[in-house]
Amino acid sequence: MATPADNRIRRRAQAFLRRTGRGYAGAHDRPLRGYLTAMAAFGVYTAGWAAAVRLRGRPLPDRPEPWDVLLTSVATFRLSRLLSKASVTSPLRAPFTTYVGPQGPAELHEEAQPETGKETVGELVTCPFCMSVWVASTLTAGQLLWPRATRTAMGTLAALAGADALQLAYGALVARTTDG
């Protein structure tokens, strides 16, 4: 049960957050409370992975191997775009977004729904840069917990990124040779 002092602290914190949000956003609508919640969720998510790694007792490497950094980068790029832009994954984003139209080969332009709570999640799930933080953390934890399976999955994602690049290059080459 909350004490009067607890209620005072809570009210002051809420007032501080409102003032800060208004001062920061000005005339713009910026969901700082949602961003704060997303940051807290990421902290809990990361702490959960860290606890799992610690419980497994696997030693951390002294430093990441360059090959692992490259593989993680390419796999993170591909999986982040797959989750945040691909047509086939739109049902995962649909509760938080609104379809706007196509955007590039096999990708969609969606916007976050402006409802409280959905806006921040909508921004996260439609932004490959935002999504990449979560994906890279997950892949890194996967490398520490299940290195062989994670590297296999990352190799597949890297192959998909390479295939995408080849498809785009081939399409550009065909367009260049048939339009000329």
Side-chain angles (χ1 to χ4, degrees):
M1 183 174 249
T3 67
D6 292 338
N7 288 333
R8 257 192 324 274
I9 292 170
R10 183 176 47 82
R11 283 193 307 273
R12 285 183 180 169
Q14 289 173 337
F16 171 77
L17 289 174
R18 278 193 298 276
R19 278 192 317 273
T20 302
R22 282 191 304 266
Y24 170 77
H28 304 281
D29 183 25
R30 302 304 310 148
L32 289 185
R33 187 172 289 171
Y35 294 155
L36 187 59
T37 302
M39 287 173 23
F42 182 75
V44 170
Y45 181 72
T46 304
W49 278 119
V53 169
R54 185 171 174 87
L55 288 172
R56 287 284 301 265
R58 291 197 177 242
L60 294 177
D62 290 333
R63 64 184 172 282
E65 296 296 326
W67 172 248
D68 283 336
V69 172
L70 178 63
L71 186 60
T72 303
S73 298
V74 175
T76 296
F77 163 79
R78 187 62 196 104
L79 186 54
S80 295
R81 290 209 72 86
L82 179 66
L83 292 172
S84 64
K85 293 291 181 186
S87 300
V88 71
T89 56
S90 62
L92 301 175
R93 298 184 304 272
F96 310 101
T97 62
T98 302
Y99 174 78
V100 176
Q103 177 183 317
E107 291 191 345
L108 302 179
H109 177 163
E110 297 162 323
E111 292 182 355
Q113 291 182 11
E115 299 171 35
T116 303
K118 290 185 176 187
E119 184 175 22
T120 301
V121 176
E123 284 186 33
L124 172 66
V125 299
T126 59
C127 171
F129 297 97
C130 306
M131 184 64 68
S132 68
V133 174
W134 293 76
V135 169
S137 298
T138 303
L139 293 176
T140 299
Q143 287 180 63
L144 295 171
L145 293 169
W146 310 284
R148 292 180 72 182
T150 303
R151 283 192 184 95
T152 300
M154 290 192 319
T156 301
L157 290 164
L160 287 171
D164 289 349
L166 291 171
Q167 294 288 359
L168 292 171
Y170 178 79
L173 180 64
V174 168
R176 186 171 168 206
T177 58
T178 57
D179 289 342

